Amino acid sequence: MNIEAITLREIRMPLVHFFETSFGRTTERRILLVTVHTDGAEGWGECVAGEGPFYNEESTETAWYAISEFLAPAILGHRLERPSDCVPRFARVREHRMAKATLEAALWHAFAVEKGQPLWRLLGGTRTRIECGVSIGIQDSVEQLLDKIAVEVAAGYRRIKVKVKPGWDLNVLERIRSRWPDILLSCDANSAYTLDQAEHLRKFDQFRLLMIEQPLWNDDIFYHARLQAQLQTSLCLDESIHHARDAATAADLGACRIINIKQGRVGGLTEALRIHDVCRERRLPNWCGGMLESGVGRALNIALSTLENFRLPGDVSASKRYWMEDIVDPAVEVTPDGQILVPDSPGLGYKVRSDLIEKLTVRKETFKAGSTNY
Ligand code: OSB
Ligand code: MG
């Protein structure tokens, strides 16, 4: 495919309900979308960076910078045989993984459209339905959280994950477990603890959690292994895993028993597939994380989740949990038994609503082949 033009834009989308983690509260998303125009198709990619550098070092603004100044120019005017061919072209830029992943996602979408195939098949997926879990943020009160869990359990979701932090953990888990002794339950600390608190974290064992996600430092693997050795509950790494080598390190050290794969965090689908293969070879189950995506990113997560080693319910849930109106048609829906039926139409399987996107756009820039190349 010849990369003829790339449009970068920012849209704003208010969340139906705020989302709070140990690193802060989000009420409105500032989402970057790219459109890659090839000679045969158009592909869309969503950037999963947050509004500020709180989950990781990237943000909406740094992704805009990396894409417009370096990454778009690295592929514009070039002919790529496959979407993965962008990876070596981007390699000169250190980090900026979410920015890279945005363009790679758009290339995969365009590639699938050109081939007239559903993206999930091109990725090597085998599932026709995926299992859904939900991630529920920190609320203003425990009662409010229990009400939210009740809604999601009734909606059929197969795994409930709650956000925890010091002061919002044992008390909360205790209340959840006494009301729902048998649900598949996990928690995510987004790096809110240190190894000094191992004793405290050992108390989580009594709640029979499926996993504790990223309890320690965002850049740590080694001390998670120390912690894992002291816990019955499985640890899952999210923030610490940037590439396949990190996944192998974590497996070799025994730093976790489960891995959360987010294509954005790891620099794109090619690296996500490599991590998937590392996990499969080492018999670590992995699952698909979420980053409060709009329908474009959500559709991509669905496609990725069809791969064999996505063995646990992901944070891939219905559009209506986040958005009054999603930018794909149909909106992503979950069956009463907590599954998403994977669409079989070419590309993402959901139509991108470009008219609505245009209305939500607050800035936009188009880059054409022949512009500055570094
Ligand atoms: O750690 O998984 C996380 C959202 C923003 C940043 C980090 C995380 C999350 C979630 C939300 O847990 C998952 C979702 O999109 O539903
Ligand atoms: Mg997480």
Side-chain angles (χ1 to χ4, degrees), residues 27-103:
T27 54
E28 185 185 51
R29 296 292 336 277
R30 291 178 54 197
I31 297 174
L32 296 191
L33 295 175
V34 300
T35 324
V36 167
H37 307 271
T38 71
D39 38 345
E42 181 182 288
W44 288 82
E46 171 172 348
C47 180
V48 302
E51 291 64 42
F54 311 129
Y55 163 81
N56 70 0
E57 75 289 353
E58 292 187 75
S59 68
T60 310
E61 212 53 51
T62 68
W64 183 285
Y65 160 74
I67 293 170
S68 59
E69 296 282 325
F70 303 104
L71 301 172
I75 55 171
L76 270 169
H78 289 278
R79 191 184 151 68
L80 306 182
E81 285 309 315
R82 306 182 43 79
S84 312
D85 292 351
C86 70
V87 175
R89 296 206 151 267
F90 293 163
R92 188 173 160 225
V93 175
R94 306 278 192 214
E95 319 287 342
H96 291 282
R97 292 189 175 85
M98 291 173 169
K100 292 173 181 172
T102 312
L103 282 168

Side-chain angles (χ1 to χ4, degrees), residues 32-254:
L32 296 191
L33 295 175
V34 300
T35 324
V36 167
H37 307 271
T38 71
D39 38 345
E42 181 182 288
W44 288 82
E46 171 172 348
C47 180
V48 302
E51 291 64 42
F54 311 129
Y55 163 81
N56 70 0
E57 75 289 353
E58 292 187 75
S59 68
T60 310
E61 212 53 51
T62 68
W64 183 285
Y65 160 74
I67 293 170
S68 59
E69 296 282 325
F70 303 104
L71 301 172
I75 55 171
L76 270 169
H78 289 278
R79 191 184 151 68
L80 306 182
E81 285 309 315
R82 306 182 43 79
S84 312
D85 292 351
C86 70
V87 175
R89 296 206 151 267
F90 293 163
R92 188 173 160 225
V93 175
R94 306 278 192 214
E95 319 287 342
H96 291 282
R97 292 189 175 85
M98 291 173 169
K100 292 173 181 172
T102 312
L103 282 168
E104 193 186 328
L107 291 170
W108 277 99
H109 182 205
F111 186 66
V113 171
E114 279 186 19
K115 296 256 181 246
Q117 295 259 354
L119 176 55
W120 64 271
R121 279 191 207 276
L122 295 178
L123 294 174
T126 51
R127 298 171 197 275
T128 56
R129 41 181 68 214
I130 63 161
E131 310 238 324
C132 307
V134 286
S135 173
I136 307 181
I138 294 166
Q139 306 297 318
D140 290 329
S141 68
V142 182
E143 285 67 36
Q144 219 176 78
L145 176 66
L146 298 178
D147 288 348
K148 287 209 160 287
I149 295 174
V151 168
E152 306 302 6
V153 169
Y157 284 102
R158 297 187 171 206
R159 187 226 60 209
I160 303 291
K161 154 175 148 185
V162 294
K163 294 289 184 178
V164 292
K165 64 176 182 182
W168 180 273
D169 51 12
L170 298 174
N171 51 333
V172 173
L173 295 170
E174 167 70 51
R175 296 279 299 278
I176 300 172
R177 262 302 178 232
S178 55
R179 180 146 163 207
W180 292 281
D182 299 323
I183 54 168
L184 208 51
L185 179 65
S186 65
C187 71
D188 186 357
N190 291 107
S191 306
Y193 300 91
T194 62
L195 193 59
D196 300 348
Q197 291 163 300
E199 192 75 18
H200 176 72
L201 291 165
R202 266 220 300 272
K203 297 183 184 147
F204 285 44
D205 279 342
Q206 65 188 292
F207 302 114
R208 293 166 287 110
L209 303 174
L210 175 62
M211 69 188 94
I212 303 173
E213 193 177 332
Q214 197 72 36
L216 307 179
W217 307 276
N218 66 293
D219 60 352
D220 172 76
I221 297 176
F222 183 81
Y223 290 105
H224 278 92
R226 290 270 174 89
L227 179 63
Q228 180 66 88
Q230 300 178 51
L231 298 180
Q232 280 165 21
T233 310
S234 294
L235 295 184
C236 168
L237 290 179
D238 173 353
E239 282 90 329
S240 302
I241 306 297
H242 305 97
H243 39 61
R245 185 164 42 76
D246 277 342
T249 304
D252 289 350
L253 288 176

Side-chain angles (χ1 to χ4, degrees), residues 247-320:
T249 304
D252 289 350
L253 288 176
C256 61
R257 300 189 198 122
I258 298 172
I259 286 184
N260 170 331
I261 298 183
K262 292 175 178 167
Q263 57 80 34
R265 189 195 70 226
V266 305
L269 283 167
T270 302
E271 197 62 25
L273 298 177
R274 286 201 190 112
I275 295 176
H276 167 273
D277 293 350
V278 165
C279 291
R280 189 180 48 191
E281 280 154 22
R282 290 164 203 254
R283 301 189 187 286
L284 289 189
N286 59 257
W287 55 279
C288 186
M291 292 293 287
L292 312 176
E293 287 92 347
S294 78
V296 171
R298 205 163 285 279
L300 190 67
N301 285 342
I302 294 167
L304 183 59
S305 303
T306 63
L307 272 86
E308 181 193 343
N309 203 51
F310 284 79
R311 298 187 188 278
L312 296 168
D315 282 345
V316 186
S317 55
S319 297
K320 67 173 186 204

